[in-house]
Amino acid sequence: MSLLAPVARLGRAVLGALAATGRVAIFAAESLSHIVRPPFYGREFLTAALQIGWMSLPVVGLTALFTGAALALQIYVGGARFNAESVVPSIVAIGMTRELGPVLGGLMVAARVASSIAAELGTMKVTEQIDALVTLSTNPMKYLAAPRILAATVTVPVLVAVGDSIGIMGGWLVGVNRLDFNSATYLHNTIQFLEPWDVGSGLVKGAVFGFIVALMGCYYGMNSGRGAMGVGAATKAAVVGASVLILASNYLLTEVLFSA
Amino acid sequence: MIELAGVHKAFGTNAVLRGVDLLVPRGTSMVIIGGSGTGKSVLLKCILGLVRPDAGVVRIAGENARTAGREAFLARFGMLFQGSALFDSLPVWQNVAFRLMRGATKRPRDEARAIAIEKLRRVGLGPEVGELYPAELSGGMQKRVGLARAIAAEPEIIFFDEPTTGLDPIMAGVIDDLIREIVVEMGATAMTITHDMRTVRAVADHVAMLHDGIIRWTGTVQEMDATPDPYVHQFINGLAQGPIASVR
Ligand SMILES: Nc1ncnc2c1ncn2[C@@H]1O[C@H](COP(=O)(O)OP(=O)(O)OP(=O)(O)O)[C@@H](O)[C@H]1O
Ligand SMILES: [Mg+2]
């Protein structure tokens, strides 16, 4: 009996994880079905888009700026080891657009947006506002989850595009001011070796990450436990869940987009 | 009109409802009394389907609530929540007019707003309150806004979960009159939960007492005053001594 206890515990944990995955998948499918079926709540969508997209710009922009700058320094050091300092502009551009722009942008949005959605919806759940919505003949999935998920899926790629540009600018600032690159040459190299798909694949990642962030925020918020502790736990779970899923799906997406 | 048969609901090991049978005829006012934590709020939520009963059936006008079309089913109801449950992202008047501005019964914004202001007036709140946000109101004002929202679309069936808790005696009297008026004039069917014996006397056609997970007693207000049932007697007179334990 006691010998088998760890096995039983492991089994329970695995089953629990599988059940949670199933519940999230059902939640995701249901919210998608509400996104495509009327009625549509345009005002809720616009509010969410403003909250998620516009208000995240400073955070995502600063993250990209410093990342691009640091990346330029690192690649210069690495490149110098085999006399290839000139690769700095193109590697910064490719690194930002394919990987760091979407991933760091996604993680920052996860911190900012998944938490705020989970806390807001969790509070609504705890104060019976979600029950009240139901009694007023309004489907909470349609009114609360669908607009937020759609807004995040649409706006995060835009955030990523802005982040990419700012990140490349960060690299350029460092390249020109610290590493003695010629400004025109730096920009020329950036553009010459950057392919549309480098940017495009990053934007696809951005859309997926946006979807994940809002999905986790809505799922944990609407399933929040009771009381302030319930909301706290829901918020934490949403941020952790979104971050882990972003990193995991980033690898999978990179595999898929890489072979494409 | 509203018919419950053998409704059970447990949360984990906490068996809250253990076979509730209740009948509320159309156009009458039923008041539910019972100790704190006996499951009165849970009972209303079971009827609305916000909480899924473990067993038993709920019928509204003969139709099983579980299988009825959800949309049409809920359109007949109005509910005042115990904690008001106002949407804090919307100003007060939009809370009241919420149902009027969406779905099948959607009206123009101005018309919805006019109705909201009128309903606010009926619960003793001036039009200026309509522009405030719920967080800017006192508890008693929030409760009255919740009440205005519950009656805004003039539903057939209205549930009031402690409508007068937290109100001053005058305002409580106003709300009692309003509930009575809604039942008599609009012909609505009402279920009210209250701990306030004055409200019981003012609004009830029938009274039901929930205790230990079942409807322990039911009857009219006159019958309530005359009943020899020790539980009801203890409860309505607020006695510390009696069959109902004071530690629950
Ligand atoms: N969602 C829930 N999860 C777990 N337990 C619950 C839930 N809702 C209610 N309960 C439990 O059910 C019991 C009855 O709660 P309910 O809110 O119906 O009481 P009540 O009769 O309305 O009391 P009061 O007069 O104080 O409002 C309580 O023990 C409560 O802890
Ligand atoms: Mg209650």
Side-chain angles (χ1 to χ4, degrees):
Chain A
M1 188 62 215
S2 61
L3 263 180
L4 284 178
V7 181
R9 210 173 307 139
L10 183 67
R12 260 197 301 279
V14 171
L15 283 180
L18 285 177
T21 310
R23 279 194 298 271
V24 171
I26 291 170
F27 188 93
E30 202 185 328
S31 48
L32 283 175
S33 83
H34 281 294
I35 288 176
V36 296
R37 271 183 304 146
F40 304 111
Y41 294 111
R43 186 179 291 260
E44 273 60 40
F45 170 77
L46 289 178
T47 315
L50 202 70
Q51 279 290 331
I52 297 167
W54 181 248
M55 308 290 259
S56 297
L57 267 178
V59 179
V60 171
L62 282 173
T63 308
L65 181 70
F66 291 123
T67 306
L71 195 60
L73 288 176
Q74 298 283 30
I75 291 168
Y76 187 82
V77 173
R81 289 181 194 159
F82 37 94
N83 296 324
E85 296 91 335
S86 61
V87 297
V88 168
S90 49
I91 303 277
V92 166
I94 292 170
M96 279 312 295
T97 55
R98 292 188 74 110
E99 187 71 19
L100 293 172
V103 171
L104 292 180
L107 289 175
M108 293 315 283
V109 173
R112 214 191 141 267
V113 172
S115 58
S116 83
I117 292 179
E120 185 184 358
L121 300 197
T123 306
M124 289 187 74
K125 158 104 183 185
V126 167
T127 56
E128 299 182 321
Q129 291 179 51
I130 291 186
D131 284 343
L133 270 181
V134 174
T135 66
L136 294 166
S137 305
T138 301
N139 188 323
M141 289 296 291
K142 191 177 263 314
Y143 182 75
L144 297 174
R148 286 171 171 79
I149 291 175
L150 181 63
T153 311
V154 174
T155 56
V156 174
V158 179
L159 279 174
V160 168
V162 175
D164 287 350
S165 319
I166 297 180
I168 290 171
M169 189 184 80
W172 169 81
L173 281 173
V174 168
V176 171
N177 295 313
R178 286 273 289 107
L179 307 174
D180 294 331
F181 274 88
N182 175 282
S183 174
T185 318
Y186 191 102
L187 291 178
H188 182 257
N189 281 352
T190 299
I191 294 162
Q192 195 181 14
F193 294 106
L194 194 64
E195 288 174 19
W197 186 235
D198 294 333
V199 179
S201 67
L203 299 188
V204 171
K205 285 181 175 181
V208 174
F209 298 164
F211 177 80
I212 289 173
V213 164
L215 177 72
M216 297 316 275
C218 292
Y219 173 78
Y220 282 106
M222 291 176 75
N223 291 293
S224 162
R226 306 176 83 198
M229 285 200 13
V231 177
T235 308
K236 180 183 70 184
V239 176
V240 172
S243 307
V244 171
L245 276 183
I246 283 176
L247 294 172
S249 66
N250 177 55
Y251 170 67
L252 293 177
L253 279 170
T254 308
E255 279 285 4
V256 171
L257 299 171
F258 178 75
S259 38
Chain B
M1 182 65 178
I2 304 176
E3 194 186 339
L4 282 81
V7 172
H8 284 73
K9 179 68 200 178
F11 295 101
T13 57
N14 180 10
V16 179
L17 304 178
R18 303 177 213 163
V20 172
D21 301 307
L22 189 66
L23 189 73
V24 186
R26 174 188 291 267
T28 64
S29 168
M30 168 68 79
V31 169
I32 313 275
I33 57 173
S36 184
T38 49
K40 303 181 295 299
S41 300
V42 170
L43 181 66
L44 291 192
K45 288 183 187 170
C46 281
I47 298 176
L48 286 166
L50 295 173
V51 167
R52 199 189 189 134
D54 301 329
V57 278
V58 175
R59 284 196 203 85
I60 308 296
E63 196 182 10
N64 191 329
R66 189 83 150 264
T67 53
R70 201 82 182 112
E71 195 89 345
F73 176 81
L74 287 165
R76 310 168 76 162
F77 283 92
M79 163 105 185
L80 163 65
F81 285 84
Q82 186 167 358
S84 304
L86 302 179
F87 306 126
D88 34 34
S89 57
L90 299 176
V92 164
W93 78 267
Q94 287 190 27
N95 264 278
V96 176
F98 194 88
R99 194 198 272 279
L100 305 174
M101 303 204 302
R102 290 170 182 80
T105 56
K106 186 168 171 160
R107 273 159 242 235
R109 200 176 162 87
D110 290 342
E111 194 182 323
R113 190 197 184 96
I115 297 174
I117 303 280
E118 160 61 15
K119 299 294 173 188
L120 285 172
R121 191 189 59 73
R122 294 196 67 180
V123 297
L125 294 169
E128 69 285 354
V129 175
E131 302 304 323
L132 302 176
Y133 279 84
E136 299 172 285
L137 306 182
S138 75
M141 290 165 86
Q142 290 180 5
K143 188 123 241 175
R144 288 185 280 152
V145 173
L147 194 77
R149 184 174 70 183
I151 63 174
E154 314 205 333
E156 288 170 60
I157 306 167
I158 316 187
F159 292 167
F160 301 102
D161 197 342
E162 308 202 1
T164 56
T165 308
L167 301 186
D168 65 70
I170 298 170
M171 206 34 86
V174 170
I175 297 304
D176 289 345
D177 291 346
L178 177 65
I179 294 176
R180 194 63 229 168
E181 211 175 293
I182 286 166
V183 174
V184 174
E185 282 173 21
M186 289 166 36
T189 308
M191 277 179 85
T192 309
I193 296 174
T194 187
H195 294 296
D196 183 346
M197 291 319 292
R198 208 179 74 167
T199 300
V200 176
R201 292 174 204 289
V203 308
D205 291 316
H206 298 277
V207 180
M209 178 168 177
L210 185 67
H211 184 72
D212 271 344
I214 57 161
I215 299 293
R216 162 92 216 167
W217 182 89
T218 177
T220 63
V221 175
Q222 291 76 22
E223 287 166 348
M224 176 182 82
D225 287 326
T227 180
D229 187 295
Y231 290 87
V232 177
H233 181 76
Q234 183 191 355
F235 192 85
I236 64 174
N237 294 300
L239 306 176
Q241 307 299 319
I244 305 173
S246 49
V247 178
R248 282 171 258 140

